C-alpha cells in the first residue's frame, strides 16, 4: 500500500485556516509534504508517533504556554514576516499547508482550532516549532541531515 493513501483526505478539518488566509495558503500534496518533512520533522528522532525527541537538538526556546497567543508570540519572535512556514498537523489525513509565517501568527486560533499538536517549519530560519496542547511549545534548530555511508 502506498504511503500516500489517506493523506490529505480531510481538508475540511482546517477550513477555518483556509477561509481566513484565502489564496495565501497552499495545500501540499503528499510528495510536497514528504519533501518538506525531509527538511524538517524527519531530521529529529521521534518518541512514539507524535512526539519529537529533543535530546541532542539545539533547543532555542521552551515555553509552558499552549494557547494561540503563545503560538502567535513564538512565531513572531522567531520568523521573518515574509518567511515561508509549513504547518504539519498530527493527523496524516489533514493536509499540510505552506504560507507566510506572519499569517500563521495572525491566524493562530484557526491553526490550533482542530489539532492538539502541530509542527511549524520556518524554512528560512531553519527552525521547527512544536506545539503540544497541554504541554507547551518547543523551538529548535533543525539539524543537518545525517549522512548514511554505503555498506
Amino acid at each position: 500500500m502506498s504511503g500516500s493513501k489517506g493523506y490529505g483526505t480531510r481538508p475540511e478539518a482546517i477550513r477555518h485556516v483556509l477561509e481566513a488566509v484565502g489564496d495565501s495558503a497552499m495545500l501540499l500534496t503528499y510528495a510536497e509534504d514528504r519533501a518538506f518533512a525531509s527538511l524538517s520533522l524527519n531530521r529529529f528522532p521521534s518518541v512514539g508517533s507524535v512526539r519529537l525527541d529533543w535530546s541532542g537538538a539545539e533547543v532555542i526556546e521552551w515555553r509552558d504556554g499552549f494557547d494561540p497567543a503563545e503560538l502567535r508570540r513564538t512565531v513572531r519572535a522567531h520568523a521573518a514576516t515574509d518567511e515561508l512556514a509549513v504547518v504539519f498537523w498530527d493527523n496524516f489525513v489533514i493536509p499540510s499547508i505552506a504560507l507566510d509565517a506572519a499569517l500563521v501568527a495572525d491566524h493562530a486560533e484557526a491553526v490550533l482550532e482542530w489539532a492538539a499538536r502541530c509542527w511549524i517549519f520556518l524554512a528560512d530560519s531553519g527552525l521547527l516549532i512544536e506545539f503540544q496542547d497541554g504541554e507547551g511549545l518547543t523551538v529548535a534548530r533543525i539539524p543537518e541531515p545525517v549522512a548514511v555511508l554505503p555498506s
Side-chain angles (χ1 to χ4, degrees):
M1 171 169 30
S2 167
S4 65
K5 189 158 183 85
Y7 170 79
T9 56
R10 298 276 321 275
E12 69 276 5
I14 56 170
R15 72 177 167 79
H16 290 108
V17 176
L18 299 175
E19 289 169 358
V21 301
D23 292 340
S24 298
M26 182 175 98
L27 287 175
L28 300 182
T29 65
Y30 175 77
E32 291 165 336
D33 172 271
R34 296 297 75 206
F36 279 117
S38 73
L39 298 172
S40 58
L41 286 172
N42 294 355
R43 293 194 183 171
F44 292 92
S46 64
V47 177
S49 61
V50 292
R51 299 199 60 110
L52 297 180
D53 180 357
W54 299 108
S55 61
E58 181 186 345
V59 174
I60 295 170
E61 182 176 13
W62 267 309
R63 303 289 297 182
D64 290 334
F66 51 89
D67 59 16
E70 196 63 44
L71 179 62
R72 180 177 298 108
R73 188 210 62 76
T74 302
V75 171
R76 287 182 177 152
H78 295 285
T81 341
D82 59 348
E83 180 166 4
L84 176 68
V86 176
V87 181
F88 302 93
W89 281 272
D90 66 346
N91 192 324
F92 206 57
V93 299
I94 309 302
S96 298
I97 59 172
L99 67 166
D100 284 346
L103 290 172
V104 173
D106 291 347
H107 301 287
E109 289 84 1
V111 169
L112 298 178
E113 180 179 37
W114 185 85
R117 290 172 213 79
C118 69
W119 297 268
I120 300 162
F121 168 37
L122 301 175
D124 297 336
S125 301
L127 299 176
L128 187 69
I129 300 169
E130 179 182 62
F131 177 89
Q132 292 276 342
D133 190 15
E135 297 181 32
L137 291 154
T138 303
V139 181
R141 187 154 319 283
I142 297 168
E144 292 298 319
V146 177
V148 178
L149 299 175
S151 43

